Amino acid sequence: MKFVETHNHLTGWSPDAKQTFEELESISIERGLHGFAISDHHDLDVFSTEKNLWEVDVPSYVETYYDRRRMPSKRNAGDKPGFLLSLEFGWTPDNGAQLRELDEQYPFDYTIVAVHFYDGLDPYFHREEIYTESFGEFYPRIIDMIEQSARELSCSRIVAHYDFFSRYAPLVKSKMLYRHAPDSFDRLFRTMRANEQILEINTGTISALIRHKGYTLEEAMPDPEVLNRYREFGGRFLTVASDAHRVEQNGRYVMETIAYLNSLGFEEFAWFEERKLHFSRIVL
Ligand SMILES: [Zn+2]
Ligand SMILES: [Zn+2]
């Protein structure tokens, strides 16, 4: 199966990451991947009083990795996995224009749009302040923000971890469901369809739901209603991402997730090379 990991972080570029490029590459070879990408955090407006460690020095990032790229589609038998250059944009209501400019200015294979903050608050550090409402009230706000981020960053080809906020809620059963936010999900998928954006299934959420929330692997899989709805709105492709920050996170639950998505009728996963869509069939 020609699988490409579209979302990973490196030490030195993302403050919460602990793997080097060489480690990521060697585990990608070991896993027999068709390709892998780096997509470090670029979150502007974080902790504005001190130096923002969450902001990538984009010119040096591109200079360091651009020439190491190898397109998965040009790969011959026996070659190393392909390598793609991406960036994970941390969108906030204030930074859309700035991020769009960066996307235009630099030759990424693709960028990923992500929402990591709610009202300027980090869900990991500010649980008590953030999770004050029922999921039926709170999750629509989150999905609406993701919709806005996808709309403002229509240039970003992948929409990251729609269920990121389900990882940190203090209540045990916090998995995000379609029925928590049906209208918001519909709006999001309509926007993504118009922009030809791909939904990411981030296995970091699956891992968090299992480790911290008491879900079984089967229960931790993304809500089938969310995914069916995505497909009803024309979403044919998905990307499955380990979002590895450490070596041992590479490949976590990836095969199980691919099998699950296939059981729901998804037959291909996608990635982007020089901003062009590529896809490959799921073969189990
Ligand atoms: Zn993220
Ligand atoms: Zn990430």
Side-chain angles (χ1 to χ4, degrees), residues 7 9 16 39 41 43 88-90 112-116 160-161 164 167-168 200 202 243 245:
H7 184 162
H9 297 265
D16 55 349
S39 53
H41 287 293
D43 283 75
E88 180 177 11
F89 283 150
I112 300 173
V113 55
V115 174
H116 295 127
H161 48 55
F164 179 74
R167 299 178 191 178
Y168 307 109
E200 172 191 278
N202 190 302
D243 194 1
H245 289 64

Side-chain angles (χ1 to χ4, degrees), residues 1-6 33-37 68-85 109-110 269-280:
M1 185 163 68
K2 291 181 172 172
F3 180 61
V4 177
E5 280 271 13
T6 49
L33 294 184
H34 188 49
F36 66 99
R68 298 203 206 174
R69 289 155 61 251
R70 300 181 295 264
M71 296 300 112
S73 65
K74 307 240 163 62
R75 188 171 168 246
N76 296 311
D79 287 353
K80 282 183 180 179
F83 167 58
L84 299 167
L85 182 57
D109 286 297
Y110 56 92
F269 37 64
W271 66 93
F272 296 91
E273 299 178 11
E274 295 171 329
R275 301 178 191 247
K276 283 195 204 72
L277 175 81
H278 287 257
F279 60 90
S280 169

Side-chain angles (χ1 to χ4, degrees), residues 205-218 220 253:
T205 301
I206 296 167
S207 168
L209 292 181
I210 293 172
R211 280 183 302 132
H212 306 308
K213 305 288 172 191
Y215 286 89
T216 65
L217 175 61
E218 201 182 332
Y253 305 115

Side-chain angles (χ1 to χ4, degrees), residues 229-241:
R229 203 65 182 142
Y230 171 68
R231 211 170 33 183
E232 278 164 24
F233 276 95
R236 170 177 163 192
F237 303 108
L238 292 166
T239 142
V240 179

